[in-house]
Amino acid sequence: MTSTLPAAAKTKVKVPAQRTPAPTVGSTGRTNDSSPVSPAPGTPPKRLRNSPPDLVLCGLLLVAIMIVQGWNIADYPTLSDDEGTYLAQAWAVQEGRGLAHYTYWYDHPPLGWIQLAVLTWIPAQLAPESMTVGSMRLVMLLISAVSAVLVYVLGRRLSLPRWAAGLGMALFGLSPLSVVLQREIFLDNIAVMWTLLAFCLAASPSRHLWHHFGAGIAAAAAVLTKETMLLVLPAVLLTMWRHSHRDTRKFAITGAVTACTLIGISYPLFALLKGELLPGAGHVSLWDGIVYQMSRPGSGFILTEGTGSYGVLQSWLYYDRVLPLGGLAGALLLLVTWRWSVTARALAGPALAVAILAGMALRPGYLPAMYVLQALPFLALVLAGGTASVTHGVLRRWRSTTEKRALTWARHGVALALAAAAAAYVVPRWYDGNHTAMTFNANAPYQQAAKWLGSEIEDPAGTRVLVDDALWLDLVHEGYEPGLGVIWFYKADLDPAVTKTMPRGWRDLDYVVASPTVRRDAVDLPNVKGAMENSTPVATFGTGEDRIEIRRIDTGGDRTDGTEATGDGDRIRETEAAGGDR
């Protein structure tokens, strides 16, 4: 629908052009709107798949990213409860148990872990015991690879030079902050992939309407994977506005918005058909899920020392200062140079995404640690774009055809000096961060605890144990009853389907696995707190705040199950002799 109309062959009447020719691309890959030579009307821009230099550069960077992110992926970083929750919900989908391993209460749209269920289905069928957090992190390596390639494609479609698009890809995939967070099974990682696809389709050089419709579909998939991606949709629309043809722009925008809306309303329609759209007696509701997410206690202003948000910010900067701070600086540079910089105007969409996400982070609301994942690709692109602008200014600004050779060499000398200074600052810091990620085993305590619970408990099927979700699937594979035998510790207080099986509260439990997450949140959960206070460590793995304690609950002798066998004392002594930390 965007092709030009053929000119009449036998008429002298001039037919007005139906489409503005695409700007030519110079040797640096930068657009050159003032070029006196224009391509023939209707000639599509060169596609990346037909560009060997682009394929080679993107391929080499992809291999490097896969190696750095994949090496030691199961052992670093520390397993998180959120990872276990999403994977357990994917397991429930695979097993036909519903949309969650407990009652699905509309905390997030389910598309994210439905995708996880699809991606992990084959390995789960081949080796069911591999359906654990550490093993299934390999799935995220695939997601990271696709996202990294999309960052490169988007950079090129936004007129970045080849080297700058490669820089953006490297920043996105090799930053220690990216390496740590992209390894984890977070819905944000999947949502970012869909968002990048939406941007790439919105910036399609061929400007086909179906590409823009596809951008709307991809944007809807991103939102239904992680609802907070709604924040970035204005940036997608801005990119589409800038890259669509003016004659078909209204159809492109309307089609994309319609496609996104129609797919997006499937979620409330699903709740409506289940009778769970609005609150009511005896059931969960989408409205209650939205109210919960919107009313979560705030973690304070991100720049106020001592607040939870400040701690999250410091955790980001601990892994890497270059990408977050450099990306913000790049966005600011592009904003300042908007009027005369081609790169600044081309990167308007990613810069707007950075501005929106940074603005939301500054509000004194709830700020999760994985929030920065949504900003990483856009921070990388605007930092690469800012670097390209500086490089262009040093090498090309105010340069004339009569410029003396000495001045030209001086320009190149300054550019090389700036590049060397940047590399001297970044490379050692990134090496240290990524070396830790590729060599350190942060999950040994979890692995040892899972092994102990699988080998030392005589009757797993008849034992009830509180755990965080990072260990939930491990114990399911060891023979514990899913849901009511191995219990996600929050549910012991918050899920009526679980609490009704515990008429005596914590006394109806046998063990509690006190991980850092359990110890942190037990204060607000009466049954979990009671289990912690009335239990004795039988095995401890790790030291300090990261230790994991397996604690046997003391019910005062009125136990009705068979888990308090005489062998327990022997097992305690064996664990201590093997180095267990009490």
Side-chain angles (χ1 to χ4, degrees):
M1 296 184 69
T2 59
S3 60
T4 58
L5 296 175
K10 298 181 179 180
T11 179
K12 295 183 179 181
V13 179
K14 292 184 178 181
V15 179
Q18 301 299 307
R19 175 177 175 179
T20 304
T24 59
V25 179
S27 60
T28 62
R30 297 176 62 86
T31 55
N32 182 11
D33 294 315
S34 61
S35 174
V37 181
S38 298
T43 301
K46 188 175 183 180
R47 297 184 181 277
L48 293 182
R49 63 173 176 262
N50 297 326
S51 172
D54 282 298
L55 294 178
V56 170
L57 178 59
C58 184
L60 291 175
L61 288 172
L62 181 60
V63 170
I65 290 170
M66 295 279 282
I67 291 174
V68 173
Q69 292 203 10
W71 199 277
N72 199 45
I73 191 172
D75 294 335
Y76 193 90
T78 305
L79 305 179
S80 73
D81 185 67
D82 284 337
E83 289 185 276
T85 299
Y86 300 142
L87 193 61
Q89 290 169 325
W91 173 85
V93 172
Q94 289 178 352
E95 296 292 318
R97 294 171 176 262
L99 290 176
H101 55 322
Y102 289 95
T103 303
Y104 173 62
W105 58 283
Y106 298 93
D107 53 332
H108 296 295
L111 182 60
W113 55 85
I114 290 175
Q115 294 172 79
L116 281 175
V118 173
L119 292 171
T120 59
W121 183 79
I122 292 179
Q125 294 300 311
L126 295 176
E129 69 280 359
S130 70
M131 190 67 175
T132 59
V133 176
S135 301
M136 289 305 165
R137 277 183 173 176
L138 288 172
V139 171
M140 303 314 297
L141 191 59
L142 174 63
I143 300 296
S144 296
V146 174
S147 297
V149 171
L150 289 174
V151 167
Y152 184 88
V153 172
L154 180 57
R156 294 294 279 150
R157 289 189 172 185
L158 296 180
S159 301
L160 284 182
R162 186 177 295 116
W163 68 266
L167 175 62
M169 182 178 179
L171 289 168
F172 172 73
L174 296 177
S175 163
L177 180 61
S178 299
V179 171
V180 169
L181 291 179
Q182 289 177 18
R183 287 180 169 191
E184 299 190 70
I185 304 174
F186 288 149
L187 301 182
D188 306 72
N189 283 316
I190 306 175
V192 163
M193 178 190 69
W194 285 111
T195 304
L196 287 170
L197 178 60
F199 269 92
C200 288
L201 291 172
S204 171
S206 59
R207 299 191 273 192
H208 289 307
L209 287 180
W210 76 266
H211 287 174
H212 298 143
F213 295 164
I217 295 172
V223 173
L224 291 179
T225 299
K226 189 64 180 290
E227 64 280 2
T228 51
M229 295 310 297
L230 269 170
L231 298 172
V232 185
L233 296 193
V236 177
L237 288 177
L238 176 60
T239 300
M240 188 179 301
W241 179 275
R242 289 187 52 81
H243 287 264
S244 58
H245 190 269
R246 62 176 179 271
D247 292 341
T248 57
R249 183 172 292 145
K250 59 183 179 181
F251 300 107
I253 300 296
T254 301
V257 171
T258 301
C260 184
T261 302
L262 289 177
I263 295 176
I265 62 174
S266 63
Y267 185 44
L269 180 60
F270 165 77
L272 177 64
L273 293 176
K274 290 194 66 179
E276 296 175 346
L277 179 63
L278 299 175
H283 67 80
V284 297
S285 72
L286 174 59
W287 180 259
D288 285 335
I290 294 173
V291 169
Y292 167 78
Q293 294 290 3
M294 298 297 292
S295 61
R296 297 181 76 167
S299 46
F301 184 51
I302 194 171
L303 300 179
T304 301
E305 189 171 355
T307 63
S309 294
Y310 182 83
V312 170
L313 174 63
Q314 294 306 307
S315 71
W316 297 340
L317 299 181
Y318 169 80
Y319 288 109
D320 184 25
R321 294 176 178 269
V322 175
L323 185 54
L325 300 182
L328 291 174
L332 181 61
L333 174 64
L334 295 178
L335 179 64
V336 171
T337 60
W338 169 275
R339 294 187 60 183
W340 62 83
S341 172
V342 174
T343 302
R345 293 192 293 274
L347 291 174
L352 178 60
V354 170
I356 293 173
L357 293 171
M360 289 299 296
L362 290 173
R363 54 184 279 274
Y366 175 66
L367 184 66
M370 68 283 293
Y371 177 81
V372 74
L373 278 170
Q374 302 171 29
L376 289 180
F378 309 113
L379 290 168
L381 284 169
V382 297
L383 179 53
T387 304
S389 289
V390 171
T391 303
H392 180 75
V394 171
L395 297 178
R396 303 288 181 181
R397 182 69 63 184
W398 300 301
R399 184 176 179 180
S400 66
T401 56
T402 60
E403 182 176 278
K404 294 182 178 180
R405 185 180 297 255
L407 181 56
T408 301
W409 281 106
R411 287 176 178 271
H412 286 85
V414 171
L416 288 175
L418 291 174
Y425 179 82
V426 173
V427 172
R429 289 166 174 79
W430 281 22
Y431 174 83
D432 289 340
N434 288 334
H435 181 265
T436 299
M438 297 175 70
T439 58
F440 184 69
N441 186 358
N443 293 320
Y446 275 99
Q447 296 160 358
Q448 294 164 353
K451 183 178 180 180
W452 193 96
L453 288 164
S455 62
E456 298 297 327
I457 302 299
E458 295 177 356
D459 181 23
T463 301
R464 307 189 75 182
V465 53
L466 293 180
V467 298
D468 71 35
D469 260 352
L471 277 173
W472 195 87
L473 277 173
D474 294 78
L475 299 195
V476 168
H477 297 317
E478 294 292 350
Y480 292 80
E481 180 188 355
L484 299 180
V486 52
I487 303 173
W488 185 22
F489 73 102
Y490 290 112
K491 300 300 181 179
D493 284 281
L494 303 178
D495 192 336
V498 176
T499 56
K500 71 180 182 181
T501 68
M502 299 167 51
R504 298 181 302 156
W506 58 267
R507 293 177 178 83
D508 287 314
L509 304 172
D510 301 305
Y511 291 89
V512 55
V513 180
S515 66
T517 303
V518 173
R519 289 193 295 271
R520 181 194 66 203
D521 293 344
V523 63
D524 299 318
L525 303 169
N527 280 329
V528 180
K529 183 179 180 181
M532 292 284 291
E533 293 176 344
N534 294 275
S535 59
T536 303
V538 296
T540 302
F541 306 100
T543 59
E545 295 182 355
D546 295 329
R547 73 188 186 281
I548 294 180
E549 298 174 340
I550 300 175
R551 304 177 67 93
R552 182 166 56 85
I553 297 173
D554 181 9
T555 58
D558 57 348
R559 226 178 177 86
T560 57
D561 57 87
T563 60
E564 192 178 19
T566 56
D568 271 345
D570 295 334
R571 287 197 296 272
I572 295 172
R573 286 188 289 273
E574 290 169 2
T575 302
E576 291 174 343
D581 213 17
R582 290 182 64 87

